[in-house]
Amino acid sequence: MIRVGVNGYGTIGKRVADAVALQPDMELVGVAKTSPNAEAAAARQRGYGLYAPADYADRFERVPLDGTLEDLVESVDAVVDTTPSGIGAQNRPFYEEHDTPAVFQGGEGADVAEMSFVASETYEEAQNSETARVVSCNTTGLSRVLGPLDREYGVERARATLVRRGGDATQPNRGPINDSMPDPPAVPSHHGPDVQEVLPEVDVDTMAVKVPTTLMHLHAVNVSLESEPAAEAAAALLDEHPRVELVPGEAGVEGCAHLREAADDRGRPRGDVWENCIWDESVTVRDADLYFFLAIHQESDVVPENVDAIRALAGDADAAESVARTNEALGVGLDLLPEERQVEAGAD
Ligand code: NAD
C-alpha cells in the first residue's frame, strides 16, 4: 500500500483525496488544512484523517486533529501539495527535510519540482524523481493531444486559442461578470511555454481569453502536421488516448454545460469530467492542418494525473498499469452513446 497525505484541501485537494481513497493500492492517511471550516467537516465526515500545519493548530481548538502537518508528512510515502499557487514552493524544503516524495500542482513554477508530469508523456521521468509537478488543467489537456499527434504525424506547429472560464464556482471574487477579455493581451499566453515543459520538441503558441463561465475551458486547436492524415484517422488516434473522449454528434452534447450534465447523470462526484473531450464533427483536416475543439474541466482533468504521479514517485507500476488502475478505480470513460445491440450470428 502506498500511504498518501494531501496538503491543502480545496478544489483540487478534495478531489485528489477522494481519488486516492478509491485506489486499491493506496491508503489516504489524511488531509491537512489551515482552517476548521465546512470543508474540514466534510473531510471528517468522509473518515479522512485531519491534520494542520503547527502554526495553524490552535485554530482547530474545537475540532479534533489527528496531528500536525509534520506528523502527516513524516508518516506517508508521498505527499500531494494542493495548496494555493506559490505555497507549494514554500513547502518544498519541508518535504525534503522529511525525505517525503512530493507532487506539486500547475500553479507552481516549473522549477518547483524535478519534472513536469502528464502520465501519457512523462511517467518514466517521474519514476526517477523525488518531486513532480502535475501541470495545469490546460497544459494537461493540450499535452494529452499534442503528444500522440507528434509521435504519429509530427507536429510542425500547434496553435491554440483558449477560451477560459473566469473562475471556479467557489471563486466569487473572480470574473469577468460581463466581458470577454484577452488574458493576457500579450502572445503567447503562459500555456504554450508550459506545454513545452512536458513536450519540449513541440512548437506551440497559445492565446487566451477569459469569459463569464465557471463550467469548463474550451480550446480551438489548430495543428500543422508534417504528414497529412484523413480526419477520421486523426480522430481515431486522439480517441485512443485513455483520457481523451470523442463527442459524437448523435450524443446531442452542444457545449460544456451538456458535458458536465453528462458527468452528473453518470453519478460522477461533483459532476467531474476527467476526460478531455473533442467534438467529433470538429475534427477537420485541410492541407495537413488539423482543427478541433477541445473541452477541459479545469477542476478535475488533473485528478487522475495526480494519482499516477504518486505511483510514479512511490510505487512500482509502469505507466500503462498505473493509468489503467487509476481509470478503473475512478470510472474514466463517459460513453456518451448507448451500446449497440449485439446481433448474434444467424439471428434475423
Ligand atoms: P484552493 O484555494 O481551492 O485550495 C487550496 C487549499 O489550501 C485550501 O483548502 C486552503 O485553505 C489551503 N491552504 C491555504 N494556505 C495554505 C497553507 N499555507 N498550507 C496548507 N493549506 C493551505 O486552490 P485550488 O484551486 O485547489 O488550487 C490548488 C493548486 O492547484 C494551485 O497550484 C492551482 O493553480 C492548481 N490548479 C487549480 C485548478 C483549478 O481549476 N482550481 C486546476 C488545475 C490546477
Side-chain angles (χ1 to χ4, degrees), residues 29 62 65 109 298 335:
V29 176
R62 294 189 298 147
L65 281 179
Q298 73 282 356
D335 299 328

Side-chain angles (χ1 to χ4, degrees), residues 137 140-141 144 273-274 276 296-297 299-305:
C137 49
T140 296
R144 284 177 184 169
V273 183
W274 301 297
N276 298 121
I296 293 177
H297 183 207
E299 293 158 308
S300 73
D301 76 337
V302 297
V303 171
E305 303 296 326

Side-chain angles (χ1 to χ4, degrees), residues 239-294:
D239 199 26
E240 270 171 29
H241 189 289
R243 292 178 185 147
V244 172
E245 183 130 343
L246 281 189
V247 179
E250 311 90 287
V253 172
E254 293 176 20
C256 294
H258 280 167
L259 282 175
R260 295 294 303 278
E261 186 77 0
D264 252 337
D265 288 344
R266 283 154 182 76
R268 292 271 179 99
R270 306 177 181 91
D272 283 349
V273 183
W274 301 297
E275 307 82 355
N276 298 121
C277 299
I278 295 175
W279 276 265
D280 202 357
E281 289 164 282
S282 72
V283 182
T284 302
V285 178
R286 294 184 61 191
D287 300 332
D289 261 331
L290 171 68
Y291 298 83
F292 55 90
F293 284 118
L294 173 69

Side-chain angles (χ1 to χ4, degrees), residues 129-275:
S129 306
E130 288 291 302
T131 53
R133 177 184 67 122
V134 169
V135 293
S136 77
C137 49
N138 286 307
T139 305
T140 296
L142 284 170
S143 301
R144 284 177 184 169
V145 295
L146 293 178
L149 287 172
D150 192 42
R151 283 189 287 279
E152 187 70 19
Y153 307 118
V155 170
E156 200 174 278
R157 173 175 277 190
R159 301 167 190 84
T161 302
L162 285 56
V163 181
R164 301 177 56 207
R165 60 88 176 95
D168 297 339
T170 51
Q171 293 176 313
N173 54 336
R174 297 272 288 258
I177 288 178
N178 182 25
D179 205 348
S180 303
M181 302 170 66
D183 182 36
V187 179
S189 65
H190 72 272
H191 308 91
D194 203 34
V195 172
Q196 291 182 305
E197 294 289 341
V198 180
L199 302 169
E201 70 289 356
V202 172
D203 188 1
V204 50
D205 286 328
T206 51
M207 298 173 77
V209 178
K210 61 178 178 175
V211 298
T213 176
T214 62
L215 294 172
M216 294 178 83
H217 303 300
L218 181 65
H219 295 190
V221 184
N222 166 221
V223 191
S224 300
L225 297 167
E226 284 161 13
S227 63
E228 182 175 339
E232 297 73 24
L237 176 81
L238 293 166
D239 199 26
E240 270 171 29
H241 189 289
R243 292 178 185 147
V244 172
E245 183 130 343
L246 281 189
V247 179
E250 311 90 287
V253 172
E254 293 176 20
C256 294
H258 280 167
L259 282 175
R260 295 294 303 278
E261 186 77 0
D264 252 337
D265 288 344
R266 283 154 182 76
R268 292 271 179 99
R270 306 177 181 91
D272 283 349
V273 183
W274 301 297
E275 307 82 355

Side-chain angles (χ1 to χ4, degrees), residues 33-36 51-65 67-69:
K33 279 205 57 69
T34 47
S35 43
Y51 296 77
D55 301 352
Y56 293 85
D58 56 355
R59 288 193 191 176
F60 288 77
E61 220 174 313
R62 294 189 298 147
V63 181
L65 281 179
T68 63
L69 175 63

